Amino acid sequence: MTLTDATVDRYLTFFRAAEALKDTMRSGHTSQGRRESTAEHSWRLCLMALTLAPELEGVDVARLIALLIVHDLGEAISGDIPAPEQTGDKTAEERRDLLTLLAPLPEASRARILAFWDEYNAMATPEARLAKGLDRLETVLQHSQGDNPPQFDIGFNLGYGRAQTDAHPLIAALRAPVDAETERLARERAR
């Protein structure tokens, strides 16, 4: 297949815009105390899916990874809003931002990425439900291992995303020790 110069430019325009995810900071911090980016969060989600693949019987892992790659793409425009601070319909705003980000792409690529994003948010498939659970697990894991500032509400994570992580036995099993660590950290902060 030979791409026209205009099509090449459309792809590169999108890739350049998506680079903003590297600078889109989340509320959690790394174990070294640096705020994590949305790109780093998405990368570790994909690593989790790839690593857990042998345990995910009946799951299309390639589809799961695609969902994880696109689930926060809209944050390249307006950034991340931490769960405790969310008001209104974050999903609608993020979808609008995603459409803006996808605008330069050829129609087929734009429609494919948007379909993955919609599938993830609707939790319409086993892969989407698993992606939501992994997303919540990665967040609470990062918060439990990160060197977060003193005002960080670590206790919020004990209830955060519970329905999504409990929906799959593997994710629930992985979450249990993370919750134990979170409880320990919350007790320490309360002292």
Side-chain angles (χ1 to χ4, degrees):
M1 171 199 276
T2 303
L3 299 176
T4 66
D5 289 347
T7 302
V8 167
D9 186 54
R10 293 173 78 175
Y11 282 121
L12 290 175
T13 298
F14 168 73
F15 297 148
R16 287 180 180 120
E19 186 261 352
L21 286 179
K22 293 180 179 184
D23 290 320
T24 301
M25 297 294 117
R26 292 171 51 86
S27 63
H29 291 68
T30 68
S31 57
Q32 299 298 308
R34 181 184 54 76
R35 284 183 68 190
E36 87 167 315
S37 73
T38 299
E40 292 164 321
H41 163 70
S42 295
W43 168 81
R44 186 154 77 166
L45 278 170
C46 292
L47 181 63
M48 292 166 76
L50 180 65
T51 304
L52 296 171
E55 309 293 335
L56 302 174
E57 189 174 309
V59 171
D60 181 340
V61 176
R63 181 174 207 83
L64 172 61
I65 290 173
L67 295 169
L68 295 171
I69 289 170
V70 304
H71 87 284
D72 277 341
L73 271 179
E75 292 182 7
I77 304 292
S78 295
D80 178 60
I81 302 170
E85 299 170 19
Q86 290 177 14
T87 59
D89 188 357
K90 177 189 178 231
T91 304
E93 178 183 335
E94 204 169 311
R95 190 175 197 279
R96 282 190 302 273
D97 289 345
L98 178 62
L99 289 170
T100 299
L101 185 69
L102 297 176
L105 287 174
E107 176 56 36
S109 292
R110 185 172 48 243
R112 184 169 181 258
I113 292 172
L114 184 60
F116 282 134
W117 192 90
D118 286 339
E119 177 184 336
Y120 170 84
N121 281 288
M123 294 193 304
T125 61
E127 291 80 6
R129 289 186 290 279
L130 187 56
K132 279 274 191 182
L134 285 170
D135 177 48
R136 299 324 191 250
L137 174 64
E138 199 286 331
T139 298
V140 297
L141 176 62
Q142 186 61 54
H143 290 170
S144 73
Q145 80 177 101
D147 184 10
N148 298 300
Q151 72 276 14
F152 189 85
D153 181 8
I154 191 75
F156 175 83
N157 288 296
L158 293 170
Y160 176 69
R162 175 71 53 205
Q164 292 85 9
T165 58
D166 286 354
H168 193 284
L170 174 62
I171 306 307
L174 290 166
R175 180 161 181 165
V178 175
D179 281 347
E181 177 66 8
T182 300
E183 288 172 354
R184 184 189 67 75
L185 292 167
R187 281 193 308 273
E188 283 180 8
R189 285 186 179 230
R191 287 186 208 161

